[in-house]
Amino acid sequence: MKELGADYNNEKWDLLLNQVTIEDAEHLIAMGGYSTCEALSVGKIWLRDNDGPMGLTRSNASVTETSQWTWFPMAGLIANSFNKALAEEYGNVVANEGVSTGVSGWYAPGANIRRSPFGGRNNEYYSEDPILSGYSAAYTVKGALKGHLYAYIKHFALNDQETNRGNVYTWTTEQALRENYLRPFEIAVKVGKANAMMSAF
């Protein structure tokens, strides 16, 4: 479909989705991780994704491959600048590096809120403030998309710890969830036009 980003109600989406085979859909969903699989039924090619809110710093291709991409400072420094233009430029620089090295997707930026100083991924997130985090993420995404790199904002949502993170219970109220922890993701989608998201555990 040439109209990538077309309105949700565009009839061409149904035309495209009706052509995807069950096998291709299952493969796309189940085999994600550092790439998106090909879907021959609709002519979708294999695409490579890299991880890292500090740049395209991690790939599953090999341990030694990480040195070919630039390591940028942690996300908090962008937020500390309160500079939307800088965030957008950062996203665009990463996109240019991705396009030149065959990377189509980026597991970043980290829009999750820092809830505790002991958070295992705090270096990947912008701040404790949902508005600052949201706009920092939104403009990073804008820059990435401008450079033809899709950005998976992460980790949706309330990703509090690294150790045993697949078995932890996270407690919050609906009000706190809406006003604080989901707000950065909302801003990244509505303002930054983010079209990809990474789940939490």
Side-chain angles (χ1 to χ4, degrees):
M1 179 167 168
K2 292 182 181 178
E3 295 88 0
L4 189 66
D7 182 81
Y8 178 82
N9 295 312
N10 189 319
E11 293 176 2
K12 290 185 179 179
W13 287 118
D14 289 332
L15 183 64
L16 173 70
L17 294 174
N18 287 337
Q19 295 176 56
V20 178
T21 64
I22 297 292
E23 293 78 18
D24 277 351
E26 289 173 345
H27 199 62
L28 276 167
I29 293 165
M31 301 306 292
Y34 299 100
S35 67
T36 56
C37 301
E38 64 183 14
L40 297 177
S41 56
V42 291
K44 186 219 170 284
I45 62 171
W46 177 88
L47 295 172
R48 177 185 184 147
D49 302 329
N50 274 31
D51 192 11
M54 281 83 71
L56 303 170
T57 54
R58 185 163 173 239
S59 163
N60 71 339
S62 79
V63 176
T64 58
E65 191 179 41
T66 59
S67 62
Q68 73 174 309
W69 294 283
T70 304
W71 282 75
F72 293 92
M74 64 177 277
L77 293 177
I78 292 171
N80 290 344
S81 75
F82 294 88
N83 189 327
K84 295 175 193 172
L86 178 65
E88 187 170 351
E89 184 178 351
Y90 168 60
N92 195 249
V93 166
V94 173
N96 290 337
E97 191 171 47
V99 168
S100 68
T101 58
V103 177
S104 301
W106 179 30
Y107 296 168
N112 197 45
I113 292 293
R114 295 181 192 166
R115 296 185 79 202
S116 159
F118 303 109
R121 296 284 181 109
N122 280 349
N123 65 306
E124 295 190 358
Y125 306 138
Y126 292 108
S127 75
E128 303 87 355
D129 181 84
I131 305 302
L132 178 59
S133 295
Y135 279 95
S136 297
Y139 280 85
T140 300
V141 168
K142 277 186 175 195
L145 290 174
K146 190 183 296 182
H148 307 289
L149 182 74
Y150 55 95
Y152 293 88
I153 52 177
K154 65 182 193 178
H155 296 89
F156 188 80
L158 297 156
N159 193 54
D160 290 344
Q161 67 187 52
E162 194 63 16
T163 303
N164 199 35
R165 67 181 177 164
N167 296 307
V168 67
Y169 290 99
T170 301
W171 300 95
T172 188
T173 64
E174 182 179 348
Q175 182 177 355
L177 185 64
R178 288 178 182 273
E179 291 178 358
N180 296 310
Y181 307 116
L182 297 181
R183 182 66 56 86
F185 295 95
E186 177 185 11
I187 294 169
V189 170
K190 289 182 175 177
V191 175
K193 305 301 182 200
N195 57 7
M197 196 168 301
M198 181 186 281
S199 66
F201 283 80

